[in-house]
Amino acid sequence: MPVSPLGNMNFINQNMAYPATQASNELAKEGVSAALNMAAAKEEEKVIDKLEKVNEAHDIKEEIKEKAEQEEKKKKHKQELEKSDQEDVSEENEEENFKNAQSIHRIDMSI
């Protein structure tokens, strides 16, 4: 007995042999094409997800590079400050030594 589709339900009908077979074949084709379309859409979504992950990874790498550059700049700035502080301290020590040398009383031993 052929199956005839009616709405979303299939009924067995002896009087509709050809139309029932034709309709069920059409439904089967539509089902297969819908399944293939869904499979293709899922594959495209997977590819898109992979690309998004790659983009996120590149963004993260760029952020890491920027942070590393900022840290290097900070280190250089700190080193320059330390060098300038050391130079200031050494200049102050030289000035103190010069002042101490000037304050020493010298005796004139020439005759």
Short mmCIF file of all heavy atoms in Angstrom, two decimals, residues 105-111:
data_model
loop_
_atom_site.label_atom_id
_atom_site.label_comp_id
_atom_site.label_asym_id
_atom_site.label_seq_id
_atom_site.Cartn_x
_atom_site.Cartn_y
_atom_site.Cartn_z
N HIS A 105 93.36 74.57 56.08
CA HIS A 105 94.31 75.67 56.24
C HIS A 105 95.69 75.20 55.84
O HIS A 105 96.19 74.21 56.32
CB HIS A 105 94.33 76.16 57.69
CG HIS A 105 93.00 76.69 58.13
ND1 HIS A 105 92.50 77.89 57.67
CD2 HIS A 105 92.06 76.20 58.97
CE1 HIS A 105 91.32 78.10 58.21
NE2 HIS A 105 91.03 77.06 59.02
N ARG A 106 96.29 75.97 54.96
CA ARG A 106 97.62 75.60 54.48
C ARG A 106 98.65 76.57 55.11
O ARG A 106 98.40 77.75 55.25
CB ARG A 106 97.68 75.71 52.96
CG ARG A 106 96.78 74.65 52.30
CD ARG A 106 97.16 74.47 50.84
NE ARG A 106 96.54 73.30 50.27
CZ ARG A 106 95.36 73.28 49.68
NH1 ARG A 106 94.67 74.39 49.58
NH2 ARG A 106 94.89 72.15 49.20
N ILE A 107 99.74 76.01 55.40
CA ILE A 107 100.81 76.81 55.98
C ILE A 107 101.81 77.12 54.87
O ILE A 107 102.26 76.23 54.12
CB ILE A 107 101.52 76.05 57.11
CG1 ILE A 107 100.52 75.72 58.20
CG2 ILE A 107 102.69 76.85 57.65
CD1 ILE A 107 101.08 74.86 59.27
N ASP A 108 102.17 78.40 54.80
CA ASP A 108 103.12 78.81 53.79
C ASP A 108 104.52 78.58 54.32
O ASP A 108 104.95 79.18 55.30
CB ASP A 108 102.92 80.28 53.46
CG ASP A 108 103.77 80.70 52.30
OD1 ASP A 108 104.28 79.81 51.55
OD2 ASP A 108 103.88 81.90 52.05
N MET A 109 105.26 77.65 53.71
CA MET A 109 106.58 77.26 54.19
C MET A 109 107.69 77.91 53.37
O MET A 109 108.84 77.59 53.55
CB MET A 109 106.73 75.73 54.09
CG MET A 109 105.73 74.97 54.90
SD MET A 109 105.98 75.18 56.67
CE MET A 109 107.31 74.10 56.93
N SER A 110 107.36 78.83 52.53
CA SER A 110 108.41 79.46 51.72
C SER A 110 109.21 80.45 52.56
O SER A 110 108.67 81.16 53.39
CB SER A 110 107.79 80.15 50.51
OG SER A 110 106.92 81.15 50.94
N ILE A 111 110.49 80.54 52.29
CA ILE A 111 111.33 81.46 53.05
C ILE A 111 111.89 82.52 52.13
O ILE A 111 112.21 82.44 51.06
CB ILE A 111 112.49 80.72 53.72
CG1 ILE A 111 111.93 79.68 54.66
CG2 ILE A 111 113.39 81.68 54.41
CD1 ILE A 111 112.92 78.90 55.38
#
